[in-house]
Amino acid sequence: MSTERIYLDWNATAKLLPEARDALLEGLDLAGNPSSVHREGRAARAAIEKARRQVAELVGADPAHVVFTAGATEAANTVLTPDFRMGRSPVRLGGLYVSAIEHPAVHEGGRFPADMRTEIPVSSDGVVRLDALEDLLRRHDADAGLPMVAIMLANSETGILQPVAEAAKIVHAHGGLLVVDAVQAVGRIPVSLEALEADFLIVSAHKIGGPKGAGALVSRGETLMPTPLIRGGGHEKGHRSGTENIPGIAGFGAAAAFAASDLSERNARIAALRDRLEAGMRTAAPDVIIHGDSGDRVPNTTAFTLPGLKAETGQIAFDLEGIALSAGSACSSGKVGESHVLKAMGRDPRLGALRISLGWDTTEADIDRAIAAFAKIAGRRKQAGAAA
Ligand code: PLP
């Protein structure tokens, strides 16, 4: 068997694209400060503005409404705050409603205190319950301020797509603001801020082949904006101070341009690979549970549980077979916690789930090796069960 490693953990982070690497290196060599008016400064500014257009294009937004941050977590902490501004006037929001399956970057609620946060439940299919959202917003105390709702577009663990456009209608009917974490959706499905009618979108560079540590908060307008998380020199029109990370931003722009191009062809290929993988897994272990397979998912993600095999053990077994994948919600420390996503779906979170996520350089041969490894690991589990 080949000893070459196979990377199937693209939802954790994608490989750096050659285009992004080139843009990043060019950005490193730009000597000027983008706030300076001299030629060097203007060259640095031009690199940032090019990236702003590329990111805006990817999410169907106006470049003027893209605020660069140091990743999606920072963008989330920027926008999830009760303290907004309309021009110079403060506007206080009245509460945050956050889906039960959000990534911790959003689930933690940013700058909203705990007593202002409410969870929106999901169905057993892993889809946010719009009836529950409607009900929560009907009971929202409007005197306390506008409600803010946060629902992700694609779940990071299962890939399950969320009914964001429908949620936007409900949120707006109640005078609220909708924040959409599109981190796992961009580059996997077409995303348009306008079409979704979201008020804010959060994106991250490293999930689409850009460098780690760059992201953006994209807004539909500029009338109502969060008070900045990072204050100082007033960069990014006052929304995020600090000299811009030119290489990171330039790399992000190049990755966004790649993600927007040939999306349907690339994803049709990836969806076919994922189908091949799931068919192979089902043949090798008919009792495998594939989470969210009955609904709409991004084309690159498979989350599964093999009865009798703990996800942590499975992850190590795959690693020994040369395959990198994820086990449930890998925390920053690298330890595996019980998946709050499985729990929210009413599934037993104790065994956890393994996640295989594909990217643009995944090949049929990679998938066939993953299936072979899966069959071996599933077979061992059966033998251990029979011996016990
Ligand atoms: N939101 C989702 C859905 C994610 O998958 C991640 C990354 O794991 C984040 C937010 C955080 O992104 P970043 O690493 O850019 O802070």
Side-chain angles (χ1 to χ4, degrees), residues 11-12 70-76 102-106 152 154-157 181-184 202-207 212-215 355:
N11 286 10
T73 302
E74 187 197 306
E102 293 302 299
H103 183 275
V106 171
M152 68 199 330
N155 183 262
S156 35
E157 288 186 31
D181 175 349
V183 166
Q184 296 288 355
I202 295 168
V203 282
S204 176
H206 74 100
K207 307 286 184 176
K212 294 158 186 69
R355 178 188 67 195

Side-chain angles (χ1 to χ4, degrees), residues 231-292:
R231 297 159 201 260
H235 306 77
E236 296 291 282
K237 295 198 277 186
H239 299 306
R240 200 282 186 183
S241 287
T243 302
E244 298 85 342
N245 169 9
I246 302 166
I249 291 172
F252 184 13
F258 174 88
S261 66
D262 305 328
L263 182 66
S264 52
E265 291 85 346
R266 198 168 47 250
N267 283 336
R269 191 185 76 80
I270 289 177
L273 291 177
R274 201 254 315 260
D275 291 347
R276 182 183 182 91
L277 171 72
E278 293 186 352
M281 284 169 31
R282 285 198 170 99
T283 305
D287 60 339
V288 66
I289 300 160
I290 298 180
H291 301 286

Side-chain angles (χ1 to χ4, degrees), residues 11 126 153-162 184 189 274 291-292 295-303 341 355:
N11 286 10
L153 191 46
N155 183 262
S156 35
E157 288 186 31
T158 60
I160 296 172
L161 296 174
Q162 301 300 316
Q184 296 288 355
I189 54 166
R274 201 254 315 260
H291 301 286
D296 288 338
R297 289 178 291 166
V298 281
N300 77 320
T301 309
T302 294
V341 174
R355 178 188 67 195

